[in-house]
Amino acid sequence: MIKSIIAVVKETVDICVPLFRILVPMIVVIKILQETGLVSLLGKILTPLMFITGLPGEMGLAWASALATNMYGGVIIFATLVKDVDMTVAQTTVFASMILMAHAFPVELQISKQAGTRFRAMFLFRFGSALIFGALLNVFYKSFNLLQQPVSTFYSPAQRENTLLSWAYGEIVNLGYIALIIFTLVVLMKIFKKIGLIKFINMLCRPLLKLMGIGEQAAYVTVVGFTLGLTYGSGLIIKEAKSGSMSHKDIFFSLGFMGICHSMVEDTILMLAIGADFFGIFVLRTVFSVLFVAVLVRLSAGIPEKFFYRWLFMNK
């Protein structure tokens, strides 16, 4: 029993150490971005792109905040701006879908990079897919005149103490939660392997993974990322990448899929609170993500290996 606990703790540490090496410095970088006003500059750059997706230009600042910090940062700016900007339910759903697919880039892209993907490739993958889906969703809602009523938001940002000490304490608590969840995932993974549930999960996911062109070895970690979040799914993928149990293409496209379609419970609830439509942010986004990855996997089959390792993946 003690040996089993020690083994689980060691495995948790092995996952957390490379993950925290990324998270801790990136948390500091994000704080600097917020304090120096660089997020506002990014918002101005993104303003013209908002019109492609049918959103008011002001929403560029909200998306920039989500990209540079995290999804909650984007939601807080949105909740502040929406008081003075007329937004429909359709527009809110488009905005919510875009920040669900592209947020927290300083942290999440570095985590993906640790698993072997090239930073620029995953940046373009997630940013491009968010923009494409946002534009398509906007056309869909306008063509069928759906959800054109004014949005009603249920979320208003809470006022928090804005001191360096309170910020540091909050981030330390968040890292503690991440470590605890990873520990729980390691325990569950061992139990699931013991009782054969991993094989059952692989069997259930086989049709979906086959459609996307991703190998069965990625089933469990993809499910973890899809339900809980990219941080946890990527943490497991980093471990699998080091063990060599997943192919490099499976790692890239599994991370790509998780990047645009992860944490489907918590994140969906948050977006519903700002007035987004469930069918758009959950069902349509999932369908788009699966088909988008499936198309890219099949297109990648024809590219030379040299190109894959030059532009998409680091051959470690």
Side-chain angles (χ1 to χ4, degrees), residues 14 45 55 58 76 89 114 138 146 153 170 179 190 209 226 248 253 256 277 286 289 301 315:
D14 288 342
I45 295 171
L55 296 176
E58 294 88 340
I76 288 170
V89 175
Q114 187 69 20
N138 175 55
L146 297 171
T153 60
K190 288 188 176 297
L209 292 171
F226 181 81
H248 290 169
F253 287 109
D277 176 65
T286 302
S289 300
N315 191 5

Side-chain angles (χ1 to χ4, degrees), residues 175-252:
L175 290 172
Y177 280 134
I178 289 172
L180 181 61
I181 291 171
I182 288 175
F183 176 83
T184 306
L185 287 173
V186 171
V187 173
L188 288 175
M189 200 166 183
K190 288 188 176 297
I191 294 172
F192 289 170
K193 280 182 178 177
K194 192 82 172 176
I195 64 177
L197 192 57
I198 293 292
K199 289 183 179 179
F200 182 67
I201 291 172
N202 289 346
M203 185 183 70
L204 288 178
C205 293
R206 193 176 298 157
L208 187 63
L209 292 171
K210 188 176 180 181
L211 175 61
M212 288 193 288
I214 297 175
E216 288 181 31
Q217 293 83 357
Y220 181 74
V221 291
T222 304
V223 169
V224 168
F226 181 81
T227 54
L228 294 180
L230 184 65
T231 301
Y232 311 112
S234 296
L236 296 177
I237 278 192
I238 290 170
K239 178 177 174 292
E240 295 300 319
K242 288 179 178 178
S243 70
S245 62
M246 289 174 62
S247 74
H248 290 169
K249 280 197 174 183
D250 281 350
I251 291 170
F252 181 85

Side-chain angles (χ1 to χ4, degrees), residues 19-159:
L19 201 58
F20 284 11
R21 280 177 184 164
I22 302 165
L23 288 174
V24 174
M26 285 302 108
I27 287 168
V28 176
V29 169
I30 287 168
K31 184 64 175 174
I32 293 170
L33 288 173
Q34 289 174 314
E35 296 297 325
T36 56
L38 289 174
V39 174
S40 298
L41 179 62
L42 180 58
K44 290 178 182 177
I45 295 171
L46 292 176
T47 294
L49 293 178
M50 294 299 96
F51 298 106
I52 297 174
T53 59
L55 296 176
E58 294 88 340
M59 287 299 128
L61 178 60
W63 193 24
S65 182
L67 289 171
T69 59
N70 54 46
M71 205 164 55
Y72 289 91
V75 167
I76 288 170
I77 300 298
F78 169 85
T80 304
L81 292 174
V82 79
K83 298 172 186 176
D84 303 310
V85 179
D86 293 329
M87 291 276 287
T88 64
V89 175
Q91 287 176 313
T92 303
T93 305
V94 170
F95 171 77
S97 298
M98 288 170 65
I99 68 169
L100 283 167
M101 299 171 83
H103 61 263
F105 274 7
V107 172
E108 294 189 351
L109 295 187
Q110 282 294 336
I111 292 173
S112 297
K113 185 180 177 182
Q114 187 69 20
T117 67
R118 296 215 177 258
F119 189 95
R120 59 178 176 263
M122 199 52 67
F123 175 93
L124 290 173
F125 188 105
R126 293 185 60 182
F127 187 84
S129 61
L131 207 56
I132 292 168
F133 183 62
L136 291 175
L137 204 56
N138 175 55
V139 170
F140 171 73
Y141 285 138
K142 282 189 174 178
S143 298
F144 295 96
N145 197 33
L146 297 171
L147 306 179
Q148 298 302 309
Q149 67 272 26
V151 68
S152 297
T153 60
F154 305 98
Y155 173 85
S156 58
Q159 296 295 321

Side-chain angles (χ1 to χ4, degrees), residues 271-293:
M271 292 302 115
L272 291 175
I274 68 169
D277 176 65
F278 175 81
F279 187 76
I281 61 174
F282 191 97
V283 179
L284 292 180
R285 181 164 65 98
T286 302
V287 171
F288 171 84
S289 300
V290 170
L291 294 178
F292 186 72
V293 172

